[in-house]
Amino acid sequence: MDREVEDGTSAGRAAWFADRFDALAANVESFIKGKSDVVRMALICMLAEGHLLLEDVPGTGKTSLAKAMSQSIDGSMRRIQFTPDLLPSDVTGVQVYDSGKREFVFHPGAVFANIVLGDEINRASPKTQSALLEVMAERQVTIDSIPYLVPRPFIVIATQNPVEQGGTYDLPEAELDRFMMRATLGYPDHDSEVQVVTNITAGRTTDELQAVMSTADLQQMNQIASSVHLAPAVLAYIVTITASTRTLPELRLGISPRGTIAVAKAAQAFAAAQGRSFVTADDVKAVLQYVLPHRMILRPEAELQGRTARELLETLVTSVPVPQVRAGV
């Protein structure tokens, strides 16, 4: 941990990023078996300082992945078990009167950590869910008109079960839009499931994972990712894709500019993880299916016809010309 970048060039910084990324991915994958693509994309999201929504049926390892990611970083981690009776003040914090000091003192809530794990986020009431809106977008909470900054880096990793609807509340579009990526683990293959069962029956948990990266490393990687070159042609390619979703007749809500920014930042982190100091169209294509579908809200008639946001996005991408100019620097 805390390794300095020896080569200060953009290519050297990207190579250092890729080396640290591989070490981080290997650590998480030592516990999460058979899901390399999802694990690496989840880490891309974190290294772009974006928020991650893990959505899948119970028992597929959503919480284990979130905990493995947080255990791999030597920073503060807080877990919030979302329930219908959870209050907004439990999340953000509250002013409490101190009789000794004769003044109100702020008691920070669970969001004051580097990594916040929100388990079963859709079980909380809309009022409590809305408590996350400000902090996810602006990295601060406002209590009694006073803003309080959360630690940096700050990442929310939330899980939800899309199957069971009893006692749950759908996340509003405004909150979905604040998650850079949504990922699904799915069931493991045979050999991977054997390894998972072997680990659990042997008593191994994510708590045994050792941190392989400090928060200083993570912040440095955030900075390197944001400095990866994004050529005007590639940026125009991203904007063309996202803007085109706003005219699709099957959608009642297309991609907002926040979604466009999320694609660009995720593509930058993806390129750095490959050891490159510039973004290509292939980097953009690699992250699209994780960044955009949860922001594309279908019309009811399209849902009845069996259309999906992922399918519409795949069709749309094939119709957008790929930039032919050189994207590197």
Side-chain angles (χ1 to χ4, degrees):
M1 296 185 291
D2 285 328
R3 300 180 187 176
E4 295 295 331
V5 183
E6 296 179 0
D7 186 347
T9 66
S10 57
R13 285 158 58 87
W16 178 86
F17 185 108
D19 177 67
R20 303 301 298 126
F21 176 82
D22 288 341
L24 182 59
N27 197 57
V28 175
E29 289 176 37
S30 68
F31 191 86
I32 305 298
K33 301 295 184 179
K35 296 297 176 183
S36 180
D37 289 346
V38 177
V39 167
R40 288 175 172 264
M41 199 57 70
L43 293 175
I44 291 293
C45 181
M46 181 173 69
L47 294 171
E49 206 175 355
H51 307 300
L52 175 66
L53 178 62
L54 296 171
E55 183 179 84
D56 215 327
V57 297
T60 51
K62 302 184 297 298
T63 303
S64 293
L65 172 56
K67 291 180 68 177
M69 290 170 63
S70 63
Q71 285 290 120
S72 299
I73 307 296
D74 188 19
S76 56
M77 190 275 285
R78 299 285 295 273
R79 177 175 177 173
I80 309 173
Q81 188 67 50
F82 281 81
T83 56
D85 60 349
L86 189 73
L87 299 175
S89 58
D90 297 329
V91 176
T92 59
V94 66
Q95 295 276 15
V96 177
Y97 185 73
D98 187 324
S99 57
K101 296 180 179 180
R102 297 192 176 187
E103 62 181 17
F104 283 93
V105 177
F106 177 62
H107 285 233
V111 293
F112 283 82
N114 295 120
I115 299 177
V116 177
L117 168 55
D119 215 4
E120 298 285 355
I121 189 173
N122 57 333
R123 291 198 177 278
S125 68
K127 182 178 181 179
T128 301
Q129 288 178 12
S130 66
L132 287 172
L133 293 178
E134 180 188 9
V135 70
M136 289 177 69
E138 302 174 34
R139 269 70 180 183
Q140 70 173 33
V141 296
T142 302
I143 307 294
D144 291 342
S145 302
I146 302 174
Y148 297 91
L149 296 177
V150 296
R152 300 293 293 271
F154 173 75
I155 299 130
V156 174
I157 305 175
T159 70
Q160 73 171 355
N161 169 15
V163 177
E164 184 182 354
Q165 301 302 316
T168 64
Y169 304 86
D170 290 339
L171 297 184
E173 285 81 358
E175 187 167 1
L176 281 174
D177 200 33
R178 281 166 168 77
F179 284 101
M180 175 178 281
M181 291 187 184
R182 179 176 65 180
T184 300
L185 281 165
Y187 294 114
D189 58 38
H190 179 271
D191 292 340
S192 298
E193 190 164 359
V194 168
Q195 288 182 294
V196 169
V197 176
T198 300
N199 283 341
I200 298 303
T201 54
R204 189 177 179 218
T205 68
T206 54
D207 294 335
E208 298 177 13
L209 290 178
Q210 297 297 312
V212 296
M213 184 179 296
S214 67
T215 53
D217 284 335
L218 183 55
Q219 283 186 299
Q220 194 165 16
M221 294 179 80
N222 292 154
Q223 293 169 2
I224 291 173
S226 64
S227 67
V228 169
H229 180 65
L230 193 61
V234 177
L235 180 55
Y237 177 64
I238 295 172
V239 172
T240 300
I241 291 173
T242 56
S244 297
T245 65
R246 301 166 196 163
T247 60
L248 289 177
E250 296 89 349
L251 298 182
R252 63 179 177 86
L253 185 64
I255 305 301
S256 69
R258 181 186 282 127
T260 306
I261 294 169
V263 173
K265 293 181 67 174
Q268 286 178 306
F270 187 89
Q274 311 307 307
R276 279 185 283 100
S277 59
F278 59 90
V279 176
T280 68
D282 287 338
D283 298 327
V284 175
K285 290 180 180 179
V287 302
L288 285 177
Q289 292 291 356
Y290 292 88
V291 178
L292 296 187
H294 66 283
R295 294 177 161 91
M296 300 166 61
I297 311 301
L298 274 69
R299 295 184 183 278
E301 53 269 30
E303 291 183 350
L304 290 173
Q305 293 170 3
R307 307 301 298 274
T308 65
R310 183 176 290 270
E311 168 203 327
L312 291 172
L313 181 60
E314 289 174 352
T315 303
L316 175 61
V317 171
T318 59
S319 67
V320 177
V322 176
Q324 298 300 312
V325 298
R326 184 173 180 269
V329 289

